[in-house]
Amino acid sequence: MATTSFPNLFLHLLLCLSSLAAASARVPAVIVFGDSTVDAGNNNQIKTVLKSNFLPYGRDFTGGLPTGRFCNGRLATDFISEAFGLPSLVPAYLDPAYTIQDFAKGVCFASAGTGLDNATSDVLSVIPLWKEVEYFKEYQKKLRRHVGKARARNIVREAVYVVSIGTNDFLENYFLLVTGRFKQFTVEEFEDFLIDRAADFLTAIYRLGARKISFTGLSAIGCLPLERTTNALQGGGCIEEYNKVARDFNVKLQALIARLCASLPGLKLRYSPVYDSLLRIIRSPSSYAPFSGLVRHGNVYDYNRSFTYIYISFINLESHSSGTDTVCSVLWISRCDGR
Ligand SMILES: *[C@@H]1O[C@H](CO)[C@@H](O)[C@H](O)[C@H]1NC(C)=O
Ligand SMILES: *[C@@H]1O[C@H](CO)[C@@H](O)[C@H](O)[C@H]1NC(C)=O
């Protein structure tokens, strides 16, 4: 594959988000909902075993300390914020180190381990998606007190919303056989159930004022290091059954997005496809290596026990951004759907 792939993908990400931003000259805030792919530290503040408050998480972060991001450095959402001229980090809503003054420029409600299905967040006692929406309401109240009604409304309407969720509904819930969903639904029915939950969520934040929303599709979830490790008997390959579910879900998600765009006036909802980019990198990691410093570990995954997960995409953006930050989620590289 072409060695220019990675920079092109990064460019796509910026172009896509810029298209979301195009309607207004300035994006006042980046507002994040979802799971571990975008959790900036909310789980550190709740009672759950699912935390990333230990090394090697955070080792490439300024200061080399874990922040609660499930990442060695900054998250894609942090880079997105910076690309809009906003702060270089999107702070976790529950982190007491930040105040509404910070959150007025960006806030993260995400919680690692959560999902579209209420039953998913129950598995590891993390923040359910409906609760993320409750926090969003509370945030708006604080924002109105802080900047006044009119400016608060403007921030909420002009902000770019990044949503990344769904993987745990399959990997932690349905296929782990822990919640009973596998008995209640066929996998196709469960996909439909999750799509309905996504519709509920998107409609809820739309009613609360959100307009520019990027919804990330599922990645090749059968190729995540943890899944490949559990597939060791089959040679550690990707679990095709899971990948197929991700592809099917993504088709349904895109149909939902088209439906919502048609029915909710003023909504700019974009699908952010990540399935192919992750797969390309997994299949051909060396294609990404020629960029000095881009691929840190020569390979994009590593079977180093529980830390394997965070090695998926240690793509170093040194040559594209300042310092030694690393983008965790190539999973995040996004492009416009043309809408
Ligand atoms: C999920 O839980 C919330 C809060 O209890 C509830 O309002 C909502 O209806 C639940 N969703 C579903 C699909 O059961
Ligand atoms: C796992 O990674 C850590 C940190 O990079 C390293 O020190 C350790 O030797 C690795 N373990 C294995 C079994 O590769």
Side-chain angles (χ1 to χ4, degrees):
M1 76 177 292
T3 49
T4 53
S5 306
F6 182 70
N8 280 346
L9 287 167
F10 188 64
L11 201 63
H12 274 138
L13 165 78
L14 293 179
L15 285 177
C16 181
L17 290 158
S18 308
S19 96
L20 277 181
S24 75
R26 222 178 109 61
V27 171
V30 171
I31 299 180
V32 181
F33 292 93
D35 59 21
S36 61
T37 49
V38 289
D39 184 351
N42 286 312
N43 276 21
N44 273 356
Q45 308 300 328
I46 62 170
K47 280 201 168 68
T48 175
V49 293
L50 193 57
K51 294 184 200 267
S52 55
N53 55 356
F54 50 92
L55 288 169
Y57 292 117
R59 70 183 182 189
D60 298 312
F61 207 86
T62 314
L65 290 176
T67 61
R69 286 168 175 78
F70 286 70
C71 183
N72 62 306
R74 291 195 291 162
L75 297 169
T77 37
D78 297 319
F79 283 91
I80 289 167
S81 174
E82 188 173 33
F84 284 134
L86 292 165
S88 59
L89 297 176
V90 180
Y93 185 62
L94 300 183
D95 188 337
Y98 297 92
T99 67
I100 190 63
Q101 197 171 342
D102 306 297
F103 298 143
K105 293 180 181 162
V107 60
C108 168
F109 301 109
S111 172
T114 202
L116 292 160
D117 180 4
N118 282 341
T120 303
S121 53
D122 289 344
V123 176
L124 290 167
S125 307
V126 297
I127 304 170
L129 188 57
W130 64 263
K131 182 85 184 199
E132 293 189 25
V133 175
E134 289 302 308
Y135 284 138
F136 181 44
K137 288 184 198 162
E138 182 188 83
Y139 161 76
Q140 292 197 15
K141 267 189 212 143
K142 291 183 185 170
L143 195 60
R144 284 193 289 268
R145 279 204 297 274
H146 181 65
V147 298
K149 233 176 159 174
R151 269 197 65 202
R153 193 187 304 124
N154 187 64
I155 290 171
V156 167
R157 195 184 48 229
E158 299 299 331
V160 164
Y161 294 76
V162 181
V163 184
S164 177
I165 196 161
T167 304
N168 297 319
D169 292 303
F170 292 105
L171 298 185
E172 246 188 51
N173 172 349
Y174 194 88
F175 289 121
L176 214 54
L177 316 180
V178 289
T179 65
R181 291 298 195 211
F182 72 101
K183 282 187 275 185
Q184 189 182 352
F185 296 121
T186 66
V187 74
E188 289 80 13
E189 287 166 352
F190 188 58
E191 289 161 15
D192 295 338
F193 173 79
L194 296 179
I195 291 294
D196 288 345
R197 303 290 72 77
D200 292 347
F201 163 75
L202 288 164
T203 307
I205 64 169
Y206 172 84
R207 292 212 174 109
L208 290 167
R211 289 296 178 271
K212 305 172 196 168
I213 309 171
S214 162
F215 200 112
T216 312
L218 290 182
S219 67
I221 61 176
C223 296
L224 298 183
L226 188 60
E227 317 318 310
R228 297 181 63 158
T229 305
T230 57
N231 202 29
L233 291 177
Q234 274 73 50
C238 299
I239 303 178
E240 175 51 26
E241 179 195 1
Y242 294 0
N243 280 352
K244 180 179 183 316
V245 165
R247 290 192 302 271
D248 292 347
F249 178 84
N250 286 342
V251 168
K252 293 176 181 179
L253 180 61
Q254 287 170 83
L256 168 71
I257 287 172
R259 272 202 310 279
L260 291 177
C261 283
S263 64
L264 300 175
L267 176 63
K268 292 194 201 105
L269 177 58
R270 301 283 188 270
Y271 172 68
S272 173
V274 294
Y275 185 96
D276 292 328
S277 15
L278 175 65
L279 216 53
R280 262 203 303 275
I281 293 165
I282 288 170
R283 289 198 174 134
S284 183
S286 58
S287 305
Y288 293 82
F291 296 95
S292 59
L294 277 185
V295 175
R296 240 181 140 81
H297 295 275
N299 205 339
V300 284
Y301 57 85
D302 181 311
Y303 295 122
N304 194 341
R305 294 192 301 258
S306 56
F307 296 134
T308 52
Y309 205 90
I310 63 167
Y311 281 79
I312 300 173
S313 48
F314 265 18
I315 302 291
N316 197 320
L317 283 175
E318 257 160 340
S319 48
H320 299 271
S321 71
S322 57
T324 55
D325 282 312
T326 317
V327 135
C328 246
S329 302
V330 190
L331 300 186
W332 265 93
I333 303 304
S334 151
R335 74 171 172 77
C336 297
D337 64 353
R339 288 183 62 90

